[in-house]
Short mmCIF file of all heavy atoms in Angstrom, two decimals:
data_model
loop_
_atom_site.label_atom_id
_atom_site.label_comp_id
_atom_site.label_asym_id
_atom_site.label_seq_id
_atom_site.Cartn_x
_atom_site.Cartn_y
_atom_site.Cartn_z
N ILE V 1 15.50 8.11 -10.59
CA ILE V 1 14.29 8.18 -9.82
C ILE V 1 14.46 7.36 -8.51
O ILE V 1 14.05 7.93 -7.41
CB ILE V 1 13.08 7.61 -10.61
CG1 ILE V 1 12.79 8.51 -11.79
CG2 ILE V 1 11.84 7.41 -9.66
CD1 ILE V 1 11.76 7.97 -12.76
N LEU V 2 15.09 6.23 -8.45
CA LEU V 2 15.28 5.49 -7.25
C LEU V 2 16.23 6.23 -6.36
O LEU V 2 15.93 6.21 -5.05
CB LEU V 2 15.84 4.08 -7.55
CG LEU V 2 16.10 3.17 -6.45
CD1 LEU V 2 14.88 2.82 -5.72
CD2 LEU V 2 16.79 1.86 -6.89
N LEU V 3 17.19 6.81 -6.85
CA LEU V 3 18.12 7.58 -6.07
C LEU V 3 17.52 8.78 -5.33
O LEU V 3 17.65 8.96 -4.17
CB LEU V 3 19.27 8.12 -6.84
CG LEU V 3 20.36 8.81 -6.21
CD1 LEU V 3 21.06 8.01 -5.14
CD2 LEU V 3 21.36 9.38 -7.14
N ILE V 4 16.59 9.47 -6.08
CA ILE V 4 15.86 10.55 -5.55
C ILE V 4 14.91 10.15 -4.41
O ILE V 4 14.77 10.73 -3.42
CB ILE V 4 15.05 11.33 -6.70
CG1 ILE V 4 16.04 12.00 -7.57
CG2 ILE V 4 14.03 12.28 -6.10
CD1 ILE V 4 15.49 12.56 -8.85
N VAL V 5 14.29 9.03 -4.67
CA VAL V 5 13.36 8.48 -3.62
C VAL V 5 14.09 8.15 -2.35
O VAL V 5 13.68 8.39 -1.20
CB VAL V 5 12.56 7.29 -4.15
CG1 VAL V 5 11.85 6.49 -3.10
CG2 VAL V 5 11.60 7.69 -5.24
N VAL V 6 15.25 7.45 -2.52
CA VAL V 6 16.02 7.09 -1.33
C VAL V 6 16.54 8.35 -0.67
O VAL V 6 16.59 8.43 0.64
CB VAL V 6 17.32 6.28 -1.77
CG1 VAL V 6 18.25 6.01 -0.55
CG2 VAL V 6 16.84 4.89 -2.27
N LEU V 7 16.94 9.35 -1.32
CA LEU V 7 17.32 10.57 -0.68
C LEU V 7 16.23 11.27 -0.01
O LEU V 7 16.42 11.82 1.13
CB LEU V 7 17.99 11.55 -1.72
CG LEU V 7 19.28 11.10 -2.27
CD1 LEU V 7 19.71 12.07 -3.38
CD2 LEU V 7 20.33 11.08 -1.17
N LEU V 8 15.05 11.27 -0.56
CA LEU V 8 13.86 11.97 0.04
C LEU V 8 13.36 11.22 1.34
O LEU V 8 13.04 11.91 2.34
CB LEU V 8 12.72 12.04 -0.96
CG LEU V 8 12.90 13.04 -1.99
CD1 LEU V 8 11.73 12.96 -2.96
CD2 LEU V 8 12.93 14.50 -1.50
N PHE V 9 13.30 9.96 1.25
CA PHE V 9 12.68 9.16 2.38
C PHE V 9 13.76 8.49 3.26
O PHE V 9 13.38 8.17 4.40
CB PHE V 9 11.68 8.14 1.84
CG PHE V 9 10.51 8.71 1.10
CD1 PHE V 9 10.41 8.61 -0.27
CD2 PHE V 9 9.49 9.40 1.79
CE1 PHE V 9 9.35 9.15 -0.93
CE2 PHE V 9 8.48 9.91 1.15
CZ PHE V 9 8.36 9.81 -0.19
N GLY V 10 14.90 8.23 2.79
CA GLY V 10 15.85 7.59 3.60
C GLY V 10 15.77 6.11 3.47
O GLY V 10 14.62 5.59 3.15
N ALA V 11 16.86 5.32 3.57
CA ALA V 11 16.87 3.93 3.31
C ALA V 11 16.08 3.14 4.42
O ALA V 11 15.51 2.07 4.10
CB ALA V 11 18.29 3.41 3.33
N ARG V 12 15.95 3.74 5.61
CA ARG V 12 15.20 3.10 6.71
C ARG V 12 13.74 3.13 6.46
O ARG V 12 12.98 2.17 6.86
CB ARG V 12 15.55 3.63 8.02
CG ARG V 12 16.98 3.30 8.49
CD ARG V 12 17.21 3.90 9.89
NE ARG V 12 18.51 3.70 10.31
CZ ARG V 12 19.09 4.15 11.39
NH1 ARG V 12 18.32 4.91 12.20
NH2 ARG V 12 20.35 3.86 11.65
N LYS V 13 13.26 4.18 5.86
CA LYS V 13 11.79 4.35 5.73
C LYS V 13 11.26 3.60 4.50
O LYS V 13 10.01 3.34 4.44
CB LYS V 13 11.51 5.81 5.52
CG LYS V 13 11.62 6.61 6.79
CD LYS V 13 10.43 6.28 7.73
CE LYS V 13 10.48 7.20 8.97
NZ LYS V 13 9.50 6.89 9.89
N LEU V 14 12.06 3.17 3.59
CA LEU V 14 11.52 2.60 2.36
C LEU V 14 10.84 1.26 2.67
O LEU V 14 9.78 0.99 2.10
CB LEU V 14 12.62 2.47 1.37
CG LEU V 14 13.06 3.67 0.65
CD1 LEU V 14 14.21 3.41 -0.34
CD2 LEU V 14 12.01 4.33 -0.05
N PRO V 15 11.38 0.39 3.46
CA PRO V 15 10.68 -0.88 3.75
C PRO V 15 9.26 -0.55 4.50
O PRO V 15 8.31 -1.26 4.25
CB PRO V 15 11.58 -1.65 4.71
CG PRO V 15 12.86 -1.11 4.43
CD PRO V 15 12.70 0.32 4.07
N GLU V 16 9.26 0.41 5.37
CA GLU V 16 8.06 0.77 6.01
C GLU V 16 7.01 1.31 5.06
O GLU V 16 5.81 0.94 5.15
CB GLU V 16 8.38 1.80 7.13
CG GLU V 16 9.14 1.27 8.33
CD GLU V 16 9.46 2.37 9.28
OE1 GLU V 16 8.82 3.40 9.26
OE2 GLU V 16 10.42 2.12 10.02
N LEU V 17 7.45 2.10 4.11
CA LEU V 17 6.54 2.66 3.11
C LEU V 17 6.06 1.56 2.25
O LEU V 17 4.80 1.56 1.86
CB LEU V 17 7.25 3.72 2.29
CG LEU V 17 7.56 5.06 3.01
CD1 LEU V 17 8.47 5.90 2.08
CD2 LEU V 17 6.30 5.73 3.31
N ALA V 18 6.92 0.64 1.85
CA ALA V 18 6.44 -0.47 0.95
C ALA V 18 5.47 -1.34 1.65
O ALA V 18 4.48 -1.79 1.07
CB ALA V 18 7.60 -1.26 0.44
N ARG V 19 5.71 -1.58 2.97
CA ARG V 19 4.73 -2.42 3.79
C ARG V 19 3.46 -1.77 3.92
O ARG V 19 2.36 -2.40 3.72
CB ARG V 19 5.38 -2.67 5.23
CG ARG V 19 4.72 -3.72 5.99
CD ARG V 19 5.39 -4.02 7.26
NE ARG V 19 6.78 -4.37 6.99
CZ ARG V 19 7.92 -3.59 7.55
NH1 ARG V 19 7.59 -2.45 8.23
NH2 ARG V 19 9.08 -4.03 7.33
N GLY V 20 3.51 -0.47 4.11
CA GLY V 20 2.18 0.27 4.30
C GLY V 20 1.38 0.31 2.97
O GLY V 20 0.17 0.11 2.98
N LEU V 21 2.12 0.47 1.90
CA LEU V 21 1.51 0.42 0.55
C LEU V 21 0.86 -0.86 0.29
O LEU V 21 -0.30 -0.94 -0.26
CB LEU V 21 2.54 0.86 -0.53
CG LEU V 21 2.05 0.99 -1.93
CD1 LEU V 21 0.93 2.14 -1.96
CD2 LEU V 21 3.20 1.24 -2.86
N GLY V 22 1.58 -1.97 0.57
CA GLY V 22 1.05 -3.34 0.44
C GLY V 22 -0.24 -3.57 1.27
O GLY V 22 -1.22 -4.09 0.78
N GLN V 23 -0.25 -3.08 2.52
CA GLN V 23 -1.43 -3.25 3.38
C GLN V 23 -2.54 -2.46 2.90
O GLN V 23 -3.69 -2.92 2.88
CB GLN V 23 -1.07 -2.88 4.77
CG GLN V 23 -0.13 -3.90 5.51
CD GLN V 23 0.29 -3.45 6.86
OE1 GLN V 23 0.06 -2.23 7.31
NE2 GLN V 23 0.87 -4.24 7.64
N SER V 24 -2.24 -1.32 2.37
CA SER V 24 -3.37 -0.47 1.72
C SER V 24 -3.96 -1.06 0.53
O SER V 24 -5.17 -1.10 0.37
CB SER V 24 -2.81 0.91 1.36
OG SER V 24 -2.29 1.59 2.57
N ALA V 25 -3.13 -1.66 -0.31
CA ALA V 25 -3.67 -2.29 -1.56
C ALA V 25 -4.48 -3.58 -1.10
O ALA V 25 -5.57 -3.84 -1.68
CB ALA V 25 -2.47 -2.77 -2.43
N LYS V 26 -4.06 -4.27 -0.01
CA LYS V 26 -4.80 -5.44 0.41
C LYS V 26 -6.16 -5.08 0.95
O LYS V 26 -7.17 -5.74 0.64
CB LYS V 26 -3.97 -6.12 1.48
CG LYS V 26 -4.60 -7.43 2.00
CD LYS V 26 -3.77 -8.02 3.17
CE LYS V 26 -4.35 -9.17 3.79
NZ LYS V 26 -3.62 -9.77 4.79
N GLU V 27 -6.22 -4.01 1.77
CA GLU V 27 -7.44 -3.54 2.32
C GLU V 27 -8.47 -3.02 1.16
O GLU V 27 -9.63 -3.22 1.27
CB GLU V 27 -7.27 -2.46 3.33
CG GLU V 27 -6.63 -2.87 4.62
CD GLU V 27 -7.60 -3.78 5.37
OE1 GLU V 27 -8.84 -3.49 5.34
OE2 GLU V 27 -7.18 -4.78 5.91
N PHE V 28 -7.88 -2.36 0.14
CA PHE V 28 -8.62 -1.85 -0.98
C PHE V 28 -9.27 -2.95 -1.75
O PHE V 28 -10.45 -3.02 -2.04
CB PHE V 28 -7.67 -1.09 -1.95
CG PHE V 28 -8.42 -0.43 -3.09
CD1 PHE V 28 -9.30 0.63 -2.87
CD2 PHE V 28 -8.25 -0.95 -4.32
CE1 PHE V 28 -9.99 1.15 -3.96
CE2 PHE V 28 -8.85 -0.44 -5.47
CZ PHE V 28 -9.78 0.65 -5.27
N ARG V 29 -8.47 -4.00 -2.01
CA ARG V 29 -9.04 -5.22 -2.76
C ARG V 29 -10.07 -5.91 -1.85
O ARG V 29 -11.05 -6.36 -2.31
CB ARG V 29 -7.88 -6.32 -3.06
CG ARG V 29 -7.10 -5.76 -4.26
CD ARG V 29 -6.22 -6.83 -4.75
NE ARG V 29 -4.88 -6.28 -4.65
CZ ARG V 29 -3.85 -6.74 -3.92
NH1 ARG V 29 -4.06 -7.90 -3.17
NH2 ARG V 29 -2.68 -6.17 -3.90
N LYS V 30 -9.83 -5.97 -0.58
CA LYS V 30 -10.83 -6.59 0.32
C LYS V 30 -12.07 -5.80 0.38
O LYS V 30 -13.20 -6.40 0.30
CB LYS V 30 -10.19 -6.60 1.77
CG LYS V 30 -11.13 -7.29 2.79
CD LYS V 30 -10.53 -7.30 4.16
CE LYS V 30 -11.41 -7.79 5.26
NZ LYS V 30 -10.78 -7.67 6.56
N GLY V 31 -12.01 -4.49 0.34
CA GLY V 31 -13.23 -3.65 0.37
C GLY V 31 -13.92 -3.83 -0.99
O GLY V 31 -15.19 -3.77 -1.02
N LEU V 32 -13.22 -3.94 -2.12
CA LEU V 32 -13.90 -4.12 -3.36
C LEU V 32 -14.67 -5.48 -3.46
O LEU V 32 -15.77 -5.48 -3.95
CB LEU V 32 -12.81 -4.06 -4.54
CG LEU V 32 -12.29 -2.66 -4.92
CD1 LEU V 32 -11.26 -2.76 -6.03
CD2 LEU V 32 -13.46 -1.76 -5.27
N SER V 33 -14.06 -6.50 -2.88
CA SER V 33 -14.74 -7.83 -2.89
C SER V 33 -15.91 -7.78 -1.95
O SER V 33 -16.97 -8.44 -2.26
CB SER V 33 -13.73 -8.87 -2.50
OG SER V 33 -13.34 -8.76 -1.16
N GLU V 34 -15.86 -7.12 -0.88
CA GLU V 34 -17.00 -7.02 0.06
C GLU V 34 -18.12 -6.29 -0.61
O GLU V 34 -19.34 -6.56 -0.44
CB GLU V 34 -16.62 -6.41 1.33
CG GLU V 34 -15.72 -7.32 2.20
CD GLU V 34 -15.37 -6.63 3.52
OE1 GLU V 34 -15.66 -5.49 3.73
OE2 GLU V 34 -14.65 -7.29 4.27
N GLU V 35 -17.81 -5.19 -1.34
CA GLU V 35 -18.80 -4.33 -2.01
C GLU V 35 -19.47 -5.18 -3.08
O GLU V 35 -20.72 -4.99 -3.27
CB GLU V 35 -18.15 -3.08 -2.65
CG GLU V 35 -19.12 -2.14 -3.23
CD GLU V 35 -18.46 -0.83 -3.70
OE1 GLU V 35 -17.72 -0.25 -2.88
OE2 GLU V 35 -18.62 -0.58 -4.84
N ASP V 36 -18.79 -5.99 -3.71
CA ASP V 36 -19.36 -6.87 -4.77
C ASP V 36 -20.42 -7.85 -4.21
O ASP V 36 -21.35 -8.13 -4.85
CB ASP V 36 -18.34 -7.66 -5.54
CG ASP V 36 -17.48 -6.76 -6.45
OD1 ASP V 36 -17.97 -5.64 -6.77
OD2 ASP V 36 -16.44 -7.17 -6.90
N LYS V 37 -20.17 -8.29 -2.98
CA LYS V 37 -21.00 -9.20 -2.34
C LYS V 37 -22.29 -8.58 -1.82
O LYS V 37 -23.30 -9.22 -1.75
CB LYS V 37 -20.30 -10.00 -1.26
CG LYS V 37 -19.14 -10.89 -1.67
CD LYS V 37 -18.50 -11.48 -0.51
CE LYS V 37 -17.31 -12.31 -0.95
NZ LYS V 37 -16.63 -12.92 0.18
N LYS V 38 -22.18 -7.32 -1.37
CA LYS V 38 -23.37 -6.68 -0.74
C LYS V 38 -24.58 -6.53 -1.60
O LYS V 38 -25.67 -6.92 -1.22
CB LYS V 38 -22.89 -5.25 -0.22
CG LYS V 38 -22.19 -5.41 1.05
CD LYS V 38 -21.79 -4.00 1.55
CE LYS V 38 -21.03 -4.05 2.88
NZ LYS V 38 -20.68 -2.79 3.27
N PRO V 39 -24.45 -6.13 -2.92
CA PRO V 39 -25.66 -5.99 -3.76
C PRO V 39 -26.45 -7.25 -3.90
O PRO V 39 -27.69 -7.38 -4.01
CB PRO V 39 -25.19 -5.43 -5.11
CG PRO V 39 -23.91 -4.80 -4.73
CD PRO V 39 -23.31 -5.55 -3.58
N GLU V 40 -25.66 -8.48 -3.87
CA GLU V 40 -26.33 -9.78 -4.14
C GLU V 40 -27.08 -10.07 -2.86
O GLU V 40 -28.17 -10.76 -2.97
CB GLU V 40 -25.19 -10.80 -4.35
CG GLU V 40 -24.48 -10.63 -5.66
CD GLU V 40 -23.37 -11.59 -5.84
OE1 GLU V 40 -23.13 -12.36 -4.93
OE2 GLU V 40 -22.73 -11.44 -6.88
#
């Protein structure tokens, strides 16, 4: 699976994809915590 991913995206794009995924997860968690505060 890792070999297929490297072939599809290329070795240079993998760090960028991982960074983007991490930022997306961070924003998602931030949005969830803000939503929890709003009803209160």
